[in-house]
Amino acid sequence: MKKQSVLLTLLYFLPLAAAHGQQFITTRSEPGAFPVAATSSTAAIYVDSGDLFLVRKAAEMLQQDIGRVTGKIPKIIHSLSSATGNVIIIGSLDHSAGIRQLSADKKLHTRNLKDKWEAYRLQVLDHPTGGITKALLIIGSDRRGTAYGVFTLSKQMGVSPWYWWADVPVKKKKEVFVKKGIYYYGPPAVKYRGIFLNDEAPALSGWVHEKYGGFNHKFYVRVFKLLLRLRANYLWPAMWGSSFDVDDTLNPILANKYGIVMGTAHNEPMMRSRKEWRDFGHGPWNYQTNADSLRAFWEKGIRRMDHRESIVTIGMRGNGDKPMSAGTNIALLEKIIRDQRKIITAVTGKPAAETPQDWALYKEVQQYYDQGMRVPDDVTLLYSDDNWGNIRRLPPLKDTIRKGGFGIYYHFDYVGGPRNYKWLNTNQISRVYEQMHEAYAYHARQLWVVNVGDLKPMEYPISFFLDYAYDANRWGQQRQASYPLRWAAEQFGSANAREIADILDKYTRYNSRRKPELLSPDTYSLDHYQEADRVVDTYNKLTMKAKKVYRELPLSYRSAFYQLVFYPVAACANLNDLDVTVAKNRLYAKQGRAITNELADSARAMFLKDSLLSRYYNKKLENGKWDHFMDQTHIGYTYWQQPRYNHMPEVKRIRLPKVGGMGVSIAGSGAWWPHSDTAAVLPAFDPYQQQKDYIDIFNRGSKPFDYTIRSSAPWLSFSATKGEIKTGKRIWATVNWKIAPKGDHVSSITITGPGNKSVTIQAPIHNPLLPKPDQFEGFVEGNGYVSMEAAHYSRAVNSKGVHWQLIPGLGRTLSGMTPFPVTAKHTAPGGTSPRLEYRMYLFDSGTIHVNTYLSPTLDFHHTGGMRYAISIDDNPPRIVNMNADTSRQDWGRSVSDNIKIISTALQVDAPGPHVLKFWMVDTGVVLQKLVVDCGGEKSSYLGPPESFYHTRKKY
């Protein structure tokens, strides 16, 4: 039975246009449509020469984009009075003489743009003025709104925001028309939306210095243009080895011209970089002993800011992203902020409240806030995640009227404990959606900034983060679920979009299970549930699928596909294969298997393959355009900080005797026979799972030998019953359930090798009369456990105002379930309160342990922990606090494993059908999986694979 949720499948098959919103581009002439570029002509572009720089620059970029798409380059004009034919009129509401004239002539109204933040409208208008036959108006409430309107047109024509940064080909068209109509885009959901270039060595810094000579304006203009195409407006610049304002004095000037609002990181107050203090500061970074020097240093930052749009970070952290000294107190920190605001007032000549400011509640700073420290109401409180994508705190709904509002500092990349993660994208957009949806619902809507590390290779989650920040108030769960399809179609066209979307969804799921930097040969179990082999197999199958798509794509798309899809899939598949191969090599060395040295060679080949994949990205792709972007080390971590070089994991080599004898191992055990004194017993077979388990026969010498397999049970079948063993062979055992007897039976399997020496294996079967597989609605216990994906509930009980929401693709194995709306009040479990029910059939009574797999959400309510409740049948719910353990060790384990597993003991009175109930208590709790351990669950990383279940319900 397929375990994939039907709903998730259906969401992938939504029409491609469904997620795009207002679709106004067509390649066919139709009544009333505006011809951007037709066979015989191209519309001119009008922009007022007195309009703002960004508007004029956007007009130039549109001219280039039309040329890229159609091969026809329109002319740019600056006067409407002499214009004829078809004209694209671009202008901001308050600075375009042409727009003002059309408004005065009552040819258009601008009421829905007046006094709005970054709103825009595209409108087809007949005979607007003079000799113009038809016009396409792109009007913005301000300069950025106008630019967003232009780039919305470009994107729909076929110019991806990533056309330069990821070499996504422009979609060529002979003709382009805009459908008749008015297309209005209101103010964005989040006022300030942007990225933080951070932890940028060795990849981004190496590339920038090779290609641009440093973090100068030539580099940053590329970043500004990307942000505008993504409808972003905010930037924290690279900081560890550079200084935005000092490295190139054109940097801040051009940022302002391009409409990019500048800020500085959480540990860089008053518009001055950390590097500047290192280069120009005097004395210690200590306000108690060096306040005069610090005030002078900060004053220069505010003076240098001048009139440019900025958000000033206030407060103070220790130098170098560290906490303040142990003696720091709230009174001192509040004094620092008062003094900083005095500087802002004195330098700007206006009240401090008129200069946007943020106070980043990052790391230890949140503790000061929790202990009662406060800042003026006009300052934006910038909440943070835990550096691993789990938001730490959100404002109570009663506080959401704060004048300065609230924001979120989020992470796609991080340097720090328990381990750096900088190499590749490991971020599931479903989790980003779930967390940022909570932020938006709790009115953290003033500022969102995400740490993207080197920028590449975070293209996919950056797109989602910024799209969601712009459109959060118009997004539903279904639109989020179809985002991979939408994004794939935008980059690669519709022909392969569904396959690419599936690859995007799967590789980000696989990578998020455990960051590549945290992987080790011990991560996945070699013994239980065939876990390690299943992980490698799914990764390798995904790589084969990516290779197939790569070959099918036109040549022009292959570079982009390598960057955005193929490399992260192939490189991570290889890394997982490497670790599992090393694990097998070490185990097999202990067992004396003949294949040990071959696995050592395979592991070394995989280590080499890793470097060759990276080298191709750096040196060959686009003729070295992206050299250094895959310089990040990722193999051989020994503690949180990255190794200087990738280190080949230790492998074992053994010396084989000429005649070594036969060894046997089986699924579900790390032992081998005849070495082990314990009985060799396969996991029990049952007619529900209809398992296929293996027996490994291996050579412990260099001389091949023959083997035979005999069984006492005619219902047992084997993939082979005799043959020759050179190094080893895996034999698969299955049961023919048509002839297998009812009840519990144990059969023997005898494997005979050289010298007529044999190993006997026991093969238990569990074939009860009840329940019948096709009649019982629910899950059936097997091998002492029941494993259930959260999305496969038997019944969802909602209540007035609260419902259960599926978040497709979230989590390590399938999807997540959580109560919506996230702002609902906590509920006492019981009676008719919200719950998920899971029907299951158990074969014994007594104590069971329900292992609840939860997303590692933090107590953002700040109420002492996020709670849920568990019960079985009609027994009273037992409330569980998922954040009861507040130790750093527990947090480190949760984020490393990307799961929180909590065990609850319950009593079962009798064998038979039962209902396990998962009750809502607090919102924000996301359930991924439930495993009922009846005494048989074995250790593994992902937990047991899902048990057999039968249902007529469509998920």
Side-chain angles (χ1 to χ4, degrees):
M1 178 181 289
K2 290 184 179 294
K3 301 295 194 290
Q4 182 63 37
S5 167
V6 175
L7 176 57
L8 183 57
T9 302
L10 290 174
L11 288 169
Y12 272 124
F13 284 85
L14 290 172
L16 286 182
H20 283 262
Q22 305 179 79
Q23 295 297 294
F24 50 74
I25 288 292
T26 178
T27 56
R28 297 193 304 263
S29 179
E30 57 184 58
F34 177 84
V36 175
T39 303
S40 58
S41 64
T42 303
I45 298 174
Y46 162 81
V47 62
D48 185 357
S49 57
D51 212 327
L52 297 168
F53 172 89
L54 175 55
V55 176
R56 291 182 277 115
K57 179 59 68 173
E60 293 175 12
M61 292 169 70
L62 179 61
Q63 179 190 42
Q64 296 163 7
D65 287 349
I66 292 171
R68 292 185 179 103
V69 172
T70 68
K72 306 178 183 74
I73 300 177
K75 63 180 179 180
I76 294 179
I77 61 175
H78 303 291
S79 171
L80 288 181
S81 60
S82 59
T84 58
N86 301 312
V87 180
I88 302 171
I89 300 175
I90 299 172
S92 59
L93 202 58
D94 295 331
H95 294 87
S96 171
I99 298 297
R100 286 197 301 269
Q101 185 60 51
L102 291 173
S103 180
D105 293 343
K106 301 192 183 304
K107 296 291 186 178
L108 60 94
H109 72 81
T110 57
R111 291 188 299 275
N112 58 359
L113 294 173
K114 188 70 174 174
D115 299 323
K116 295 293 195 302
W117 177 267
E118 297 178 350
Y120 60 95
R121 189 170 81 221
L122 289 85
Q123 177 179 352
V124 176
L125 192 63
D126 292 331
H127 305 292
T129 185
I132 298 176
T133 307
K134 191 181 288 287
L136 170 63
L137 277 64
I138 304 177
I139 314 167
S141 61
D142 50 32
R143 57 178 179 159
R144 282 190 292 270
T146 310
Y148 298 156
V150 167
F151 298 131
T152 298
L153 173 61
S154 289
K155 188 175 180 179
Q156 289 205 22
M157 284 194 305
V159 182
S160 166
W162 299 102
Y163 84 94
W164 190 87
W165 277 98
D167 304 296
V168 176
V170 171
K171 316 298 186 294
K172 303 292 186 181
K173 298 175 177 65
K174 292 182 179 179
E175 296 185 305
V176 175
F177 299 87
V178 174
K179 298 175 184 178
K180 182 178 179 64
I182 298 175
Y183 307 94
Y184 174 71
Y185 296 78
V190 178
K191 187 172 185 178
Y192 297 104
R193 312 160 306 282
I195 64 174
F196 178 21
L197 302 175
N198 191 221
D199 309 322
E200 61 274 13
L204 179 63
S205 61
W207 178 78
V208 164
H209 283 89
E210 177 182 304
K211 305 301 182 183
Y212 295 99
F215 286 91
N216 55 37
H217 74 276
K218 294 179 182 179
F219 161 71
Y220 275 113
V221 165
R222 291 285 188 191
V223 177
F224 302 156
K225 290 179 177 179
L226 173 65
L227 290 174
L228 291 168
R229 288 183 182 273
L230 292 168
R231 295 188 299 185
N233 60 10
Y234 186 62
L235 178 66
W236 284 359
M239 59 165 286
W240 285 105
S242 57
S243 175
F244 182 77
D245 292 88
V246 175
D247 292 343
D248 186 340
T249 55
L250 283 176
N251 283 345
I253 293 171
L254 287 172
N256 190 61
K257 283 181 171 292
Y258 276 91
I260 302 302
V261 182
M262 293 303 301
T264 49
H266 51 84
N267 61 336
E268 298 184 314
M270 301 291 279
M271 302 304 294
R272 298 215 69 177
S273 72
R274 171 178 174 267
K275 184 175 183 292
E276 287 182 78
W277 179 256
R278 190 167 66 237
D279 293 345
F280 310 120
H282 300 285
W285 182 264
N286 187 317
Y287 204 75
Q288 289 174 301
T289 63
N290 197 26
D292 289 343
S293 293
L294 284 163
R295 282 194 295 266
F297 178 74
W298 291 335
E299 179 182 335
K300 184 172 182 179
I302 302 303
R303 289 192 183 281
R304 187 176 60 195
M305 178 181 71
D306 197 21
H307 64 285
R308 295 187 286 271
E309 275 191 283
S310 307
I311 300 177
V312 179
T313 295
I314 61 172
M316 188 175 181
R317 296 191 65 219
N319 195 16
D321 194 13
K322 296 176 182 177
M324 297 280 276
S325 63
T328 302
N329 57 58
I330 288 175
L332 174 63
L333 290 167
E334 289 177 335
K335 173 176 170 53
I336 290 171
I337 289 175
R338 286 196 301 271
D339 289 352
Q340 288 172 339
R341 285 169 64 85
K342 288 177 183 177
I343 293 171
I344 292 171
T345 298
V347 172
T348 64
K350 55 187 180 183
E354 295 183 23
T355 298
Q357 300 152 65
D358 73 82
W359 182 40
L361 304 181
Y362 182 63
K363 289 191 175 179
E364 80 286 348
V365 180
Q366 183 183 295
Q367 298 172 16
Y368 306 139
Y369 177 75
D370 290 343
Q371 293 165 14
M373 180 176 171
R374 293 295 181 262
V375 294
D377 191 61
D378 60 89
V379 176
T380 300
L381 294 184
L382 189 63
Y383 291 98
S384 175
D385 67 352
D386 62 350
N387 303 306
W388 290 73
N390 308 297
I391 292 176
R392 299 171 69 200
R393 187 80 75 248
L394 288 172
L397 290 174
K398 62 182 177 64
D399 292 344
T400 54
I401 58 173
R402 179 182 183 84
K403 182 180 177 182
F406 304 88
I408 296 292
Y409 170 39
Y410 203 71
H411 285 76
F412 290 160
D413 166 286
Y414 180 59
V415 168
R419 189 66 57 86
N420 293 358
Y421 62 98
K422 299 173 59 181
W423 177 39
L424 290 172
N425 173 34
T426 58
N427 303 281
Q428 285 187 293
I429 64 165
S430 51
R431 178 62 168 169
V432 177
Y433 160 76
E434 182 261 329
Q435 288 288 284
M436 300 313 295
H437 169 77
E438 286 175 350
Y440 185 75
Y442 278 88
H443 291 262
R445 305 177 180 180
Q446 184 73 3
L447 168 61
W448 288 6
V449 59
V450 58
N451 186 328
V452 301
D454 301 310
L455 196 150
K456 293 176 71 66
M458 299 296 173
E459 298 95 338
Y460 178 48
I462 288 172
S463 292
F464 178 76
F465 184 88
L466 294 175
D467 279 346
Y468 189 67
Y470 194 91
D471 258 351
N473 53 352
R474 291 186 286 273
W475 278 50
Q477 171 265 331
Q478 285 192 351
R479 190 175 178 192
Q480 173 267 320
S482 64
Y483 190 88
L485 182 60
R486 166 193 172 177
W487 196 80
E490 286 176 352
Q491 315 315 317
F492 304 107
S494 60
N496 298 95
R498 299 192 194 284
E499 287 181 292
I500 295 171
D502 182 61
I503 297 169
L504 289 170
D505 182 69
K506 284 189 170 72
Y507 104 70
T508 51
R509 179 204 304 284
Y510 299 164
N511 283 2
S512 71
R513 287 171 174 170
R514 193 168 187 85
K515 309 289 189 187
E517 293 86 348
L518 278 157
L519 282 173
S520 76
D522 301 324
T523 297
Y524 297 111
S525 175
L526 292 178
D527 303 330
H528 302 139
Y529 312 121
Q530 301 168 33
E531 182 179 61
D533 286 336
R534 286 189 296 110
V535 166
V536 169
D537 183 59
T538 53
Y539 254 123
N540 288 341
K541 284 180 178 176
L542 197 63
T543 302
M544 294 305 296
K545 185 171 184 175
K547 283 183 179 177
K548 176 177 175 291
V549 172
Y550 182 86
R551 295 188 194 104
E552 291 174 353
L553 285 171
L555 289 174
S556 61
Y557 282 98
R558 291 184 180 178
S559 174
F561 187 78
Y562 190 92
Q563 296 169 57
L564 300 174
V565 183
F566 183 81
Y567 177 81
V569 172
C572 286
N574 181 70
L575 182 61
N576 277 264
D577 204 349
L578 168 62
D579 276 320
V580 171
T581 300
V582 169
K584 288 180 177 180
N585 164 265
R586 294 173 183 176
L587 174 64
Y588 294 176
K590 293 177 182 178
Q591 297 175 347
R593 295 199 192 194
I595 202 171
T596 299
N597 296 345
E598 185 179 324
L599 289 180
D601 294 338
S602 294
R604 292 191 181 280
M606 292 169 190
F607 183 74
L608 175 61
K609 181 180 179 180
D610 176 88
S611 65
L612 293 176
L613 285 167
S614 297
R615 180 175 175 79
Y616 181 82
Y617 195 117
N618 282 340
K619 303 295 184 181
K620 302 293 184 181
L621 201 63
E622 295 292 316
N623 296 315
K625 178 179 177 180
W626 304 115
D627 193 14
H628 298 294
F629 264 105
M630 285 305 132
D631 284 356
Q632 179 61 55
T633 56
H634 48 276
I635 305 175
Y637 274 79
T638 57
Y639 70 119
W640 69 268
Q641 184 57 283
Q642 67 193 35
R644 187 173 181 184
Y645 304 104
N646 286 329
H647 291 282
M648 170 68 198
E650 181 186 3
V651 291
K652 304 293 185 181
R653 304 189 77 85
I654 61 175
R655 181 173 294 179
L656 289 172
K658 187 172 182 180
V659 179
M662 178 182 75
V664 175
S665 67
I666 59 174
S669 175
W672 68 279
W673 290 268
H675 175 266
S676 176
D677 295 330
T678 61
V681 184
L682 284 167
F685 295 90
D686 66 60
Y688 309 104
Q689 292 288 136
Q690 299 200 6
Q691 298 92 333
K692 182 174 75 167
D693 278 324
Y694 66 82
I695 300 167
D696 279 350
I697 306 172
F698 53 88
N699 196 341
R700 302 188 72 245
S702 56
K703 182 179 179 180
F705 63 82
D706 293 330
Y707 75 94
T708 60
I709 296 178
R710 291 180 292 106
S711 171
S712 65
W715 54 83
L716 281 173
S717 300
F718 304 94
S719 57
T721 57
K722 62 182 179 179
E724 183 185 61
I725 299 296
K726 293 181 179 178
T727 56
K729 183 178 291 186
R730 177 159 289 186
I731 309 296
W732 291 97
T734 55
V735 172
N736 182 345
W737 293 105
K738 292 180 180 179
I739 62 172
K742 293 294 181 182
D744 292 343
H745 302 271
V746 178
S747 306
S748 64
I749 303 169
T750 302
I751 303 170
T752 304
N756 283 324
K757 292 182 179 180
S758 64
V759 170
T760 300
I761 298 169
Q762 296 176 22
I765 68 167
H766 176 62
N767 191 16
L769 289 169
L770 295 173
K772 294 187 181 300
D774 59 346
Q775 293 181 4
F776 177 72
E777 290 274 331
F779 291 84
V780 179
E781 177 191 344
N783 276 300
Y785 68 85
V786 184
S787 179
M788 301 174 283
E789 292 290 349
H792 294 158
Y793 54 85
S794 303
R795 181 185 177 211
V797 177
N798 301 322
S799 68
K800 185 178 180 180
V802 176
H803 67 278
W804 289 96
Q805 183 68 61
L806 170 75
I807 304 181
L810 186 151
R812 304 198 308 175
T813 50
L814 184 66
S815 296
M817 295 295 300
T818 191
F820 265 32
V822 296
T823 54
K825 294 181 179 179
H826 70 268
T827 300
T832 60
S833 71
R835 65 187 181 275
L836 295 170
E837 296 183 353
Y838 299 84
R839 295 196 71 214
M840 59 184 184
Y841 196 100
L842 304 181
F843 292 105
D844 208 343
S845 60
T847 300
I848 61 172
H849 290 87
V850 179
N851 297 320
T852 306
Y853 288 58
L854 304 161
S855 295
T857 308
L858 300 177
D859 178 23
F860 68 83
H861 293 303
H862 194 38
T863 55
M866 313 278 279
R867 298 163 299 167
Y868 63 94
I870 288 283
S871 68
I872 192 163
D873 300 328
D874 294 326
N875 293 322
R878 181 174 299 179
I879 294 178
V880 181
N881 183 347
M882 68 172 289
N883 306 118
D885 188 342
T886 58
S887 68
R888 188 156 187 85
Q889 291 80 4
D890 181 76
W891 170 84
R893 182 169 54 253
S894 296
V895 296
S896 297
D897 296 346
N898 199 21
I899 203 74
K900 185 97 170 179
I901 305 175
I902 300 177
S903 185
T904 306
L906 298 176
Q907 287 298 122
V908 175
D909 295 332
H914 296 278
V915 178
L916 183 67
K917 300 174 183 178
F918 180 87
W919 301 80
M920 169 196 166
V921 179
D922 293 314
T923 58
V925 176
V926 182
L927 176 67
Q928 294 187 21
K929 183 174 180 174
L930 290 161
V931 177
V932 178
D933 182 8
C934 305
E937 183 184 357
K938 306 297 184 183
S939 61
S940 64
Y941 183 75
L942 297 174
E946 190 168 31
S947 300
F948 169 87
Y949 72 98
H950 173 65
T951 181
R952 296 185 180 92
K953 182 167 72 75
K954 292 183 179 180
Y955 292 103

